[in-house]
Amino acid sequence: MTDHAYPVEVQSDFLEKITRAQPVQAVAEFIWNGLDADATSIDVRIEYNDLNAMSAIVITDNGLGMPFSDAPELFKKLGGSWKRPGAVTKKDGRFLHGQDGRGRFKAFSLGRFAEWDVTYPKGDELSTFKITMNAGKIQEVRISDEAKAPEEKKRGVTLTISELHKDYRSITSETGIQEFTEIFALYLADYQGISIVVDSTQIDPDKAIASRHTVNLSDISEEDKNYPIRLEIIEWRAVTSRALYLCNEKGFPLTQVERRFHTGNYQFSAYLKSSYISKLQKEGTLELAEMNSAVIAVIDEAQQAIRDYFRNRAAQEAKTVVEDWKEEKIYPYEGEAVTNVEHVERQVFDIVAVNVAQYIPEFETTPTKNKAFHLRLLRQAIEKSPEELQLILGEVLKLPKRKQEELAELLRDVSLSSIISAAKIVADRLKFLTGLEAILFDADSKKRLKERSQLHRIIAENCWLFGEEYNLSVDDQSLTEVLRKHRKILGDDIVINDPVKHISKERGIIDLMLSRSIRHHKADELTHLVVELKAPKVKINQKEITQIEEYTISVTKDERFRSVNTNWVFWVISDDYGDYASYRMTDSNNNGRIHTKDNCSIYVKTWAQVLNQNRARLQFFQESLEYQADKGASLKHLQEHYAKFLKGVLTEETTEEVATT
């Protein structure tokens, strides 16, 4: 046969990129070519030389081949392919994988020479010809004359890649066979009766697949058109590298996404299927898919869906162990999970705790009290942070380093960790508000509650009541200490040789001073909030207002407190106020202001206002996290966390009585 040379019109930078393909991906490309030609049998064979080194990779299919008349045009230029998006194979009508004729160049990622021995039906006979390419002259293709095929020759294409760059043992390894299985799993599931054999091993997804799960993700919208996105997760029986593939709408992998997955011992591949991916392939921008904001968003959503799926799987598997713990009464949660947040938190706990139990052989034989203690520790660590969890897993439970990282990674999912920690904070605060309301307004409790030693101490530990932006600066200190803190915050050169004089006392004591700094364009503005707490039984009237006004006057008279960018806000708080306080209020919007001059303001506040404002601040979280504070549980929370301040105010009988009402 005579060869005829044809120039190949292709850019060198493209050739450099395409010839760096991974071995399995390169061989897979030629298997796809056979499938796109209606092949029902594809065999990948490795030839070895006398030294048992790989000498050639031979890929044979029984497809329709290609007509001789089309060969020059198909091989001469990039994009020379009869395949188009949405097209189907000529004989069986299967959905096509390729479209632009790029794949053939991947032969040179494996070896220096490539020969396609083509046999195709021409009328009632079979015709044959050969196409050869050489890496040294990659911009030239040689095509032989056409001839009638010998009788023993069968229809199809045999591609021989020789002068290999190295031994590609990865193609025939267990890992390689698994990768081929992952690539062709969905195709072989959709089209029955197709055989793919790699080095004498049949690719059989049915034997390799443990389970399949599909999820609908958010559509991609572009130019008034919606592209549906579907995620299919295939769980494998064998160990895999846990890959996420971008696929066309039929599920044929076009490229692999570089993402890491922490899913415990689960082995899977995930397939992101959409006609939008086909569109990117058609436009030649598929290689830049991970820089496309719409694709990035979908990949992120897919990654989260994969995490959620395997977290649910692990939680289901943990169920039996957890039921045993519940029977032993050592499970650190009471009752059933009600809200979504509670379900998520318990799922994470169950997964971590069951893994701990499995990795510590002596856990089952540990005394019940010790098991209960370890489970409580785990719950607290999960509520705090991944770092706290890893500390407990490593230093207390002595888990292997790899397992520590794997379990802690569950919480490194920012949204999951944030949900759990936010839920804990909001739940605790709602319990606190309800419990505080009970002791402030309950007739018996408010009589027994002492202003300075009890109420004051509880409020000092919960300054978020006055706003998240405030930090506690002074707690139960003299005006002189207030001045010192004021100087420290401002960094001013204030000399404090003499104490601050109170206008009617030797030494004025401030209950609480909170400070916040608001950054403006030119300078920081500092606000001091001074809070005077009154026992709930004390009604705010002339005496109490006079007291807070005296503090205000003491501050404004002392020139050392003066600063251009400092505001002083004074509050006096109790359950109720009298007629005098009501008369002094100057604002129609009932915000309690009784005085404002220069940089000082005075307000009369009730606990009902403060509690309601906080509930309003927490309302969004309360609805989002589906949490409702129970009064009995709230008093119990207050008793557990602030028992040292509530002696004689709350008794166990009180808590039980409230819980039953």
Side-chain angles (χ1 to χ4, degrees):
M1 288 187 184
T2 305
D3 285 352
H4 302 278
Y6 298 90
V8 176
E9 300 169 18
V10 63
Q11 294 177 347
S12 57
D13 60 338
F14 163 74
L15 288 175
E16 186 181 346
K17 185 185 297 182
I18 203 80
T19 54
R20 289 201 303 264
Q22 293 300 309
V24 171
Q25 294 292 332
V27 172
E29 190 66 42
F30 299 115
I31 295 174
W32 280 121
N33 284 345
L35 295 172
D36 286 348
D38 276 313
T40 56
S41 175
I42 299 173
D43 181 70
V44 178
R45 190 176 80 256
I46 308 298
E47 293 183 352
Y48 298 87
N49 60 23
D50 294 340
L51 298 174
N52 201 34
M54 287 186 179
S55 59
I57 298 171
V58 182
I59 303 158
T60 303
D61 70 60
N62 66 348
L64 296 174
M66 71 182 82
F68 175 76
S69 57
D70 293 346
E73 194 62 30
L74 293 176
F75 270 77
K76 273 171 59 179
K77 62 181 180 180
L78 184 65
S81 175
W82 62 275
K83 299 177 258 187
R84 289 289 175 263
V88 295
T89 61
K90 295 175 181 176
K91 179 172 171 283
D92 295 339
R94 299 184 222 151
F95 200 93
L96 291 170
H97 171 269
Q99 71 170 59
D100 56 14
R102 297 176 178 220
R104 68 182 74 103
F105 293 100
K106 289 184 180 178
F108 302 109
S109 66
L110 300 170
R112 292 187 67 246
F113 288 94
E115 180 189 81
W116 287 263
D117 189 347
V118 182
T119 303
Y120 75 101
K122 186 178 182 182
D124 296 331
E125 299 180 329
L126 292 178
S127 286
T128 185
F129 63 96
K130 291 183 179 179
I131 302 167
T132 57
M133 293 186 76
N134 178 348
K137 294 181 178 179
I138 203 167
Q139 292 184 314
E140 177 185 276
V141 60
R142 303 190 72 84
I143 303 175
S144 72
D145 289 335
E146 181 182 25
K148 181 182 175 181
E151 287 186 12
E152 69 275 8
K153 207 165 188 185
K154 295 180 180 178
R155 187 191 72 189
V157 175
T158 296
L159 167 63
T160 303
I161 303 168
S162 57
E163 290 197 24
L164 303 180
H165 300 311
K166 60 180 181 179
D167 265 20
Y168 294 105
R169 303 287 173 176
S170 60
I171 293 173
T172 58
S173 68
E174 283 187 21
T175 304
I177 298 299
Q178 175 63 31
E179 193 172 347
F180 281 119
T181 305
E182 292 173 23
I183 292 169
F184 295 102
L186 297 182
Y187 188 94
L188 293 174
D190 287 344
Y191 301 111
Q192 301 296 314
I194 293 172
S195 169
I196 300 174
V197 176
V198 177
D199 195 36
S200 303
T201 301
Q202 181 88 36
I203 302 302
D204 188 354
D206 289 340
K207 289 182 180 176
I209 292 174
S211 69
R212 294 176 71 171
H213 176 72
T214 54
V215 184
N216 290 323
L217 302 181
S218 304
D219 293 357
I220 289 178
S221 297
E222 189 175 274
E223 297 175 355
D224 297 326
K225 184 175 180 181
N226 281 350
Y227 297 87
I229 310 289
R230 195 167 178 80
L231 176 70
E232 181 156 5
I233 302 167
I234 293 184
E235 198 175 339
W236 304 103
R237 302 183 197 281
V239 175
T240 72
S241 56
R242 296 171 182 163
L244 174 61
Y245 297 98
L246 298 186
C247 311
N248 61 23
E249 56 268 45
K250 295 297 287 184
F252 303 163
L254 302 178
T255 188
Q256 186 176 330
V257 174
E258 291 299 324
R259 288 288 175 105
R260 291 179 66 195
F261 297 93
H262 298 275
T263 55
N265 295 321
Y266 296 107
Q267 307 298 326
F268 72 92
S269 302
Y271 303 84
L272 205 53
K273 301 185 278 187
S274 176
S275 56
Y276 186 78
I277 307 299
S278 300
K279 174 177 172 290
L280 295 182
Q281 185 193 34
K282 180 184 177 182
E283 293 170 352
T285 58
L286 185 59
E287 289 162 358
L288 302 175
E290 290 189 67
M291 296 171 64
N292 179 312
S293 59
V295 176
I296 291 169
V298 169
I299 290 171
D300 288 343
E301 187 182 356
Q303 196 169 15
Q304 186 60 50
I306 291 165
R307 285 196 197 108
D308 291 345
Y309 172 69
F310 285 110
R311 192 177 67 243
N312 287 332
R313 288 268 287 108
Q316 284 300 313
E317 289 176 9
K319 214 168 183 178
T320 308
V321 180
V322 169
E323 289 304 321
D324 290 342
W325 289 340
K326 286 179 179 177
E327 281 190 24
E328 287 184 70
K329 300 194 184 305
I330 60 172
Y331 191 62
Y333 297 90
E334 292 180 8
E336 294 299 317
V338 177
T339 68
N340 288 335
V341 174
E342 287 175 352
H343 279 292
V344 168
E345 183 181 341
R346 291 194 193 188
Q347 276 186 354
V348 173
F349 172 83
D350 292 351
I351 294 164
V352 172
V354 169
N355 271 274
V356 167
Q358 290 170 346
Y359 269 81
I360 303 176
E362 61 273 19
F363 189 84
E364 276 307 306
T365 57
T366 301
T368 304
K369 270 190 176 180
N370 290 359
K371 276 197 283 189
F373 173 70
H374 286 150
L375 294 177
R376 280 199 307 274
L377 273 180
L378 282 176
R379 175 184 174 175
Q380 289 168 7
I382 286 167
E383 287 173 346
K384 286 186 178 177
S385 68
E387 290 68 33
E388 185 79 15
L389 177 60
Q390 201 163 349
L391 185 73
I392 297 297
L393 295 175
E395 295 191 12
V396 179
L397 300 173
K398 309 293 184 189
L399 251 63
K401 185 75 177 171
R402 181 184 62 80
K403 201 65 185 174
Q404 292 175 37
E405 274 292 337
E406 192 177 279
L407 294 176
E409 197 66 38
L410 265 176
L411 283 186
R412 287 208 175 89
D413 168 9
V414 175
S415 59
L416 187 63
S417 186
S418 299
I419 286 170
I420 292 172
S421 58
K424 180 75 169 64
I425 292 168
V426 171
D428 283 351
R429 287 188 178 182
L430 288 168
K431 284 178 185 174
F432 177 83
L433 289 177
T434 307
L436 183 62
E437 185 176 49
I439 64 170
L440 287 172
F441 294 100
D442 179 77
D444 292 329
S445 296
K446 72 191 289 185
K447 284 178 190 173
R448 296 194 293 265
L449 188 64
K450 295 173 185 173
E451 174 192 323
R452 196 164 293 280
S453 62
Q454 293 180 321
L455 178 62
H456 185 131
R457 300 269 55 84
I458 293 170
I459 301 305
E461 292 192 14
N462 293 277
C463 290
W464 53 267
L465 283 165
F466 307 106
E468 300 289 349
E469 68 274 31
Y470 282 107
N471 293 306
L472 183 63
S473 296
V474 171
D475 174 15
D476 203 21
Q477 298 286 333
S478 69
L479 281 169
T480 306
E481 288 304 316
V482 169
L483 179 59
R484 287 198 178 98
K485 181 56 70 171
H486 175 64
R487 181 183 67 172
K488 187 176 178 183
I489 293 171
L490 279 181
D492 287 345
D493 193 17
I494 300 170
V495 178
I496 306 178
N497 291 326
D498 300 314
V500 178
K501 293 177 181 175
H502 189 278
I503 64 166
S504 65
K505 301 178 187 175
E506 283 188 17
R507 186 169 176 263
I509 300 295
I510 291 290
D511 283 353
L512 298 171
M513 184 179 90
L514 303 104
S515 303
R516 70 174 178 185
S517 179
I518 300 174
R519 188 170 294 281
H520 286 296
H521 201 53
K522 293 183 179 178
D524 287 356
E525 180 183 289
L526 187 67
T527 298
H528 294 309
L529 172 61
V530 177
V531 180
E532 180 68 21
L533 301 169
K534 295 298 173 188
K537 60 190 175 191
V538 176
K539 188 179 282 193
I540 300 170
N541 236 323
Q542 185 171 1
K543 178 185 172 185
E544 290 70 35
I545 288 175
T546 300
Q547 183 187 16
I548 198 73
E549 285 179 327
E550 286 177 348
Y551 280 123
T552 309
I553 294 166
S554 300
V555 166
T556 54
K557 283 191 68 175
D558 195 314
E559 62 181 16
R560 294 172 296 178
F561 278 115
R562 290 174 196 158
S563 170
V564 176
N565 294 316
T566 302
N567 294 311
W568 289 87
V569 180
F570 293 83
W571 283 14
V572 56
I573 304 180
S574 190
D575 274 11
D576 200 3
Y577 52 81
D579 293 339
Y580 178 80
S582 181
Y583 176 76
R584 288 287 308 274
M585 291 178 190
T586 58
D587 287 346
S588 57
N589 60 4
N590 198 31
N591 71 351
R593 185 165 61 183
I594 61 170
H595 168 84
T596 183
K597 185 179 180 183
D598 299 329
N599 62 339
C600 285
S601 302
I602 304 174
Y603 293 82
V604 171
K605 295 284 185 181
T606 65
W607 279 116
Q609 288 175 315
V610 173
L611 294 173
N612 288 337
Q613 284 167 2
N614 274 279
R615 283 207 177 91
R617 285 215 308 262
L618 289 167
Q619 186 177 4
F620 170 75
F621 293 108
Q622 189 176 17
E623 290 171 356
S624 300
L625 300 171
E626 301 171 346
Y627 184 86
Q628 289 291 333
D630 170 75
K631 192 173 181 182
S634 301
L635 282 175
K636 190 176 178 186
H637 171 81
L638 221 62
Q639 197 171 38
E640 287 172 354
H641 290 78
Y642 304 101
K644 58 185 176 181
F645 304 137
L646 292 172
K647 227 172 188 178
V649 178
L650 284 180
T651 63
E652 287 195 22
E653 289 78 8
T654 310
T655 311
E656 287 170 11
E657 192 179 305
V658 170
T660 56
T661 57

